Amino acid sequence: EMCIRDRLIASHSDVQEKLHEEIDRVFGSSNRQLKSDDLGELKYLECVIKESLRLYPSVPIFSRYVTEDQEIGGYFIPKGVTATVFPYTIHRDERYYPDHEKFDPDRFLPENSADRPAFAYIPFSAGKRNCIGQRFALMEEKVILANILRKFDLEAVNETIEIVQLAELILRPKNGILLRLKARSLHEE
């Protein structure tokens, strides 16, 4: 099943071109298996994944029980209440993400994200209760996308991405993702 990240790549030919350049630099025209060392070399691919998770976090809303009285942004939050956190909204804060609806993987290049507060990007939650599988999830996405992009160009079929209501636990496309896969000439057999 294709995901939102695939659709974003397919809709942005400049991003897909940079990804193909990076993948070709790492693998050349070989058909060898991807190795764990290769994952560290796929830095732009990681930026693409992070930017897509910024726009469409898998879990767009979560709650946490407040265990101590807190003051956040001048607001008092008493112990014993449940706080609801909206990564979907946090990731659209203009202070940290100008032109926040634009898909721009360069936001996650080291020089562009060094001064961003850690809690301005929380697709896997944050702090003590963050997702213990986040490193595995990112690694898995890199492997899948690298293997697809090594062999194919992605072409978007539908014009827009419609998502289900944010009240759902998991953010997902309403009508699926339709893409065309076109074999890259570099890997034709």
Side-chain angles (χ1 to χ4, degrees):
E1 179 180 304
M2 293 296 169
C3 69
I4 291 173
R5 281 163 271 309
D6 300 317
R7 172 59 172 74
L8 288 168
I9 293 167
S11 301
H12 296 84
S13 58
D14 56 326
V15 170
Q16 187 167 184
E17 186 176 322
K18 285 182 185 179
L19 286 169
H20 281 142
E21 287 171 6
E22 179 176 77
I23 288 167
D24 292 347
R25 181 180 45 76
V26 172
F27 298 103
S29 59
S30 76
N31 284 323
R32 70 172 176 80
Q33 292 290 317
L34 186 140
K35 299 175 187 171
S36 60
D37 290 348
D38 296 328
L39 296 177
E41 297 296 315
L42 299 172
K43 295 178 187 321
Y44 188 69
L45 179 57
E46 185 168 322
C47 291
V48 169
I49 293 167
K50 286 180 175 180
E51 176 67 351
S52 63
L53 284 168
R54 181 190 70 79
L55 285 169
Y56 301 103
S58 300
V59 179
I61 181 174
F62 58 87
S63 297
R64 294 290 182 259
Y65 180 77
V66 179
T67 58
E68 300 175 8
D69 289 346
Q70 301 284 321
E71 185 176 325
I72 301 175
Y75 294 95
F76 177 73
I77 302 166
K79 173 183 175 179
V81 301
T82 300
T84 302
V85 182
F86 295 88
Y88 187 89
T89 304
I90 291 168
H91 294 169
R92 284 164 169 72
D93 188 328
E94 284 283 342
R95 292 175 295 175
Y96 310 115
Y97 305 105
D99 197 9
H100 61 86
E101 290 297 329
K102 180 182 178 189
F103 177 66
D104 181 8
D106 289 354
R107 294 179 204 273
F108 288 93
L109 292 171
E111 62 270 19
N112 296 335
S113 58
D115 295 332
R116 186 178 305 131
F119 293 101
Y121 179 72
I122 53 171
F124 297 100
S125 186
K128 295 177 186 177
R129 298 276 316 266
N130 72 339
C131 175
I132 61 170
Q134 68 181 313
R135 290 181 63 133
F136 176 76
L138 286 172
M139 189 172 29
E140 182 180 45
E141 285 216 32
K142 274 181 153 179
V143 169
I144 291 167
L145 285 170
N147 280 313
I148 290 170
L149 290 166
R150 282 176 76 180
K151 297 179 181 177
F152 298 102
D153 288 321
L154 305 179
E155 296 177 12
V157 173
N158 43 353
E159 291 294 316
T160 59
I161 300 172
E162 289 185 64
I163 57 173
V164 295
Q165 298 290 323
L166 286 177
E168 296 281 332
L169 180 60
I170 303 296
L171 188 68
R172 63 180 184 273
K174 184 176 181 180
N175 299 311
I177 300 290
L178 301 175
L179 296 176
R180 274 188 206 95
L181 300 177
K182 182 181 172 190
R184 293 182 68 204
S185 58
L186 181 64
H187 294 285
E188 285 183 9
E189 296 178 13

